[in-house]
Amino acid sequence: MKTAAVDVIKKLAEAGHQALLAGGCVRDHLLGKAAKDYDVATSARPEEVVRIFRGAKTVGAHFGVVIVRQADETIEVATFRRDGVYSDGRRPDSVAFTTAEEDAQRRDFTVNGLFYDPLKDEVIDFVGGRDDLRRKVIRAIGDPRRRFAEDHLRLLRAVRFATVLDFEIEPTTWSAMRELAPCIASVSAERVRDEFIKTLEHPRRVAGFDLLVGSGLMGVILPEIMALQGCEQPPQFHPEGDVFVHTRLMLGLLPADASLPLILAVLFHDIAKPPTFTVDETGRIRFNGHDKLGAEMTGDILRRLKFPNHVVAPVVEAVANHMAFINVPKMRTARLKRFMARPGFEDEMELHRADCLGSAGDLSTYEFVRRKQHEFASEPLIPPRLLTGADLIQLGWKAGPALGSVLTAIQNLQLEGALHTREDALRWIEVNAPVPDQFAEETGAV
Ligand code: ATP
Ligand code: MG
């Protein structure tokens, strides 16, 4: 048990207050897991907490939360409280300070409503949280409909805890979630995004995906994903089924520690298949341009969910490029090297691998790239140029598009392995690209 939090509790107890560890840290402690942070709940009022701990900062005065620094750590100390009326579907309009028991009642799920007294080594359970931990159940405290109606974010929290803890959602809690799922639309995109990320980043992400879909939350947050259901694909390439089945299957094929951009790229790589669906005269299903339109849709969706650009950009690029893998075996070496040298390429390889394994299972292109990576491994994919723009200017060239094309041509030959040294490059220029007649070029006389 974290000593800094226990020290805080000792000091509060010495001053005559009741002080307990509360919420997630008690749950994780009882599950034998390391807690992310240790929260203290106490009968002491915020002003009393501030008096006991030098340098303590009141953060949510309204909610009675004080941040205490102890042994280089920050511990949240919150006065036991009862929540007032909720009018915005997210936060109570007011709170009142109260007892530990009432403080337990305001918490979201029974497994999050436990207290622990580290001085007496005693769990204090007003809500049946210990039984639910044993039974591996997520159950709302009190009337589930009321609790989700008060704070709509709890809908996504239930999904997240069921996913990361590998717990079942208790049936009445689940039916309340299904009934109230539309309310998630009124929660800020940032909060939705953060819960969504925590659910899908977890190795049990397919379970999280299924809960999002089954509860109806996915339909509100990402209707585009639900539109993949029933979008048929050519069976010779996709024996697994429709685009939804394929996407879900791919999620389950990712490495446990897959990056967020990779997970999102899987979710959205075929997002434009429904709007590009066509059947030609031979009866063959096609999705022409679904990569390009998909990249646009992905950008729009991720910006709607307020993802930062450093996440949006690689996901959009991966979606835009996912069909380019088909051309990889035919690419000239220079083009292939440039394709492989892009920063997000390893994630794109994983996307491609899952795309193949989640459909017909042909990994030949994936293996081709791996062989090429091996072949190219002795030197950087994009080595320093043999000649620079400055070199050409010294030879008498002028800056401009013509100079740029010559530089690219030389780099292509270098990447192809046709030119190795600066001398090779200079010789090549002499023969193939002598300094143009600048005067003629400038006057447009050529
Ligand atoms: P994590 O491991 O993600 O930190 P946690 O259970 O600690 O999980 P926090 O969001 O840190 O979750 O919240 C701490 C505690 O505060 C929860 O365990 C729960 O008791 C209570 N709580 C948090 N958010 C809510 C909410 N929206 N409604 C009711 N109680 C909540
Ligand atoms: Mg926490």
Side-chain angles (χ1 to χ4, degrees):
M1 184 62 53
K2 202 67 143 205
T3 51
V6 177
D7 288 345
V8 168
I9 288 175
K10 264 189 203 143
K11 280 194 190 158
L12 285 162
E14 277 161 18
H17 303 289
Q18 189 186 11
L20 304 166
L21 288 169
C25 64
V26 180
R27 176 198 69 218
D28 292 342
H29 176 65
L30 292 175
L31 290 172
K33 294 185 188 172
K36 253 190 286 164
D37 34 42
Y38 287 80
D39 298 330
V40 172
T42 180
S43 59
R45 299 300 164 99
E47 60 277 13
E48 290 166 322
V49 177
V50 171
R51 215 174 299 138
I52 296 168
F53 298 95
R54 206 182 287 269
K57 279 201 187 68
T58 312
V59 281
H62 188 59
F63 295 101
V65 180
V66 176
I67 300 283
V68 171
R69 280 202 71 81
Q70 180 76 24
D72 269 352
E73 292 193 43
T74 54
I75 309 287
E76 256 191 42
V77 179
T79 305
F80 296 138
R81 68 173 202 253
R82 158 177 76 225
D83 292 336
V85 177
Y86 284 75
S87 58
D88 69 348
R90 186 64 263 284
R91 294 206 164 257
D93 301 345
S94 65
V95 305
F97 298 134
T98 178
T99 59
E101 177 157 11
E102 280 195 313
D103 186 82
Q105 303 296 341
R106 68 147 180 106
R107 293 173 185 269
D108 48 5
F109 306 109
T110 59
V111 295
N112 287 349
L114 291 163
F115 294 113
Y116 176 71
D117 183 339
L119 308 180
K120 297 190 191 142
D121 183 25
E122 194 174 270
V123 175
I124 301 159
D125 182 3
F126 298 108
V127 293
R130 230 178 337 180
D131 282 345
D132 284 340
L133 267 186
R134 254 181 245 120
R135 285 192 286 245
K136 303 178 77 144
V137 164
I138 298 296
R139 181 196 312 269
I141 294 173
D143 172 19
R145 290 187 64 243
R146 210 186 107 207
R147 303 313 309 284
F148 290 121
E150 281 171 356
D151 176 356
H152 310 323
L153 189 67
R154 290 175 187 152
L155 295 159
L156 281 175
R157 285 174 60 88
V159 168
R160 179 193 12 137
F161 289 118
T163 303
V164 307
L165 298 173
D166 192 4
F167 281 22
E168 296 285 326
I169 299 177
E170 176 275 324
T172 45
T173 300
W174 179 247
S175 29
M177 286 170 67
R178 295 187 34 155
E179 190 182 327
L180 293 169
C183 297
I184 201 65
S186 70
V187 177
S188 78
E190 289 84 351
R191 302 305 303 263
V192 169
R193 173 201 65 200
D194 290 346
E195 289 297 330
F196 189 76
I197 292 174
K198 286 183 194 163
T199 300
L200 290 176
E201 271 192 330
H202 194 271
R204 298 188 70 257
R205 57 184 66 92
V206 177
F209 178 88
D210 289 346
L211 289 171
L212 287 169
V213 170
S215 60
L217 289 164
M218 186 71 93
V220 183
I221 302 169
L222 290 174
E224 297 89 345
I225 294 285
M226 300 312 296
L228 305 178
Q229 277 184 335
C231 183
E232 296 304 328
Q233 315 192 76
Q236 68 271 37
F237 300 120
H238 286 283
E240 75 282 6
D242 68 19
V243 184
F244 183 88
V245 170
H246 168 66
T247 302
R248 180 183 176 279
L249 210 57
M250 281 177 67
L251 269 187
L253 290 164
L254 292 181
D257 63 348
S259 74
L260 179 62
L262 173 56
I263 295 163
L264 295 171
V266 165
L267 274 184
F268 298 122
H269 77 292
D270 280 346
I271 205 71
K273 277 195 169 177
T276 57
F277 178 96
T278 54
V279 184
D280 71 14
E281 51 296 339
T282 69
R284 169 146 174 211
I285 297 171
R286 292 183 190 277
F287 305 100
N288 290 336
H290 82 274
D291 43 358
K292 188 166 176 289
L293 180 63
E296 278 170 34
M297 289 175 67
T298 299
D300 291 346
I301 293 167
L302 293 179
R303 279 185 289 270
R304 180 177 88 210
L305 281 175
K306 303 274 192 267
F307 277 91
N309 197 47
H310 68 87
V311 175
V312 179
V315 183
V316 167
E317 175 144 347
V319 174
N321 277 303
H322 82 280
M323 296 305 289
F325 275 80
I326 294 174
N327 305 322
V328 155
K330 288 180 289 180
M331 280 183 193
R332 279 182 58 189
T333 303
R335 169 128 186 262
L336 180 59
K337 283 185 172 177
R338 287 204 183 92
F339 188 68
M340 289 166 59
R342 289 171 306 117
F345 185 69
E346 268 311 311
D347 272 352
E348 289 185 22
M349 276 290 276
E350 277 306 316
L351 174 69
H352 175 70
R353 192 177 142 272
D355 206 358
C356 297
L357 290 178
S359 52
D362 177 4
L363 282 182
S364 56
T365 301
Y366 178 85
E367 281 153 7
F368 174 87
V369 175
R370 286 286 180 242
R371 278 198 302 279
K372 285 289 174 187
Q373 283 177 322
H374 194 72
E375 190 182 307
F376 301 150
S378 57
E379 48 183 294
L381 274 177
I382 310 290
R385 288 177 183 276
L386 299 174
L387 289 179
T388 64
D391 292 327
L392 290 194
I393 285 168
Q394 250 192 351
L395 289 177
W397 285 71
K398 277 204 164 176
L403 179 148
S405 321
V406 173
L407 283 175
T408 305
I410 294 172
Q411 193 186 35
N412 280 343
L413 291 163
Q414 180 188 9
L415 296 176
E416 306 281 351
L419 300 176
H420 297 280
T421 63
R422 185 180 158 81
E423 287 65 41
D424 291 347
L426 288 170
R427 242 187 326 269
W428 182 87
I429 286 215
E430 225 175 80
V431 177
N432 298 284
V435 181
D437 182 341
Q438 307 276 346
F439 177 75
E441 209 180 45
E442 270 162 15
T443 54
V446 267

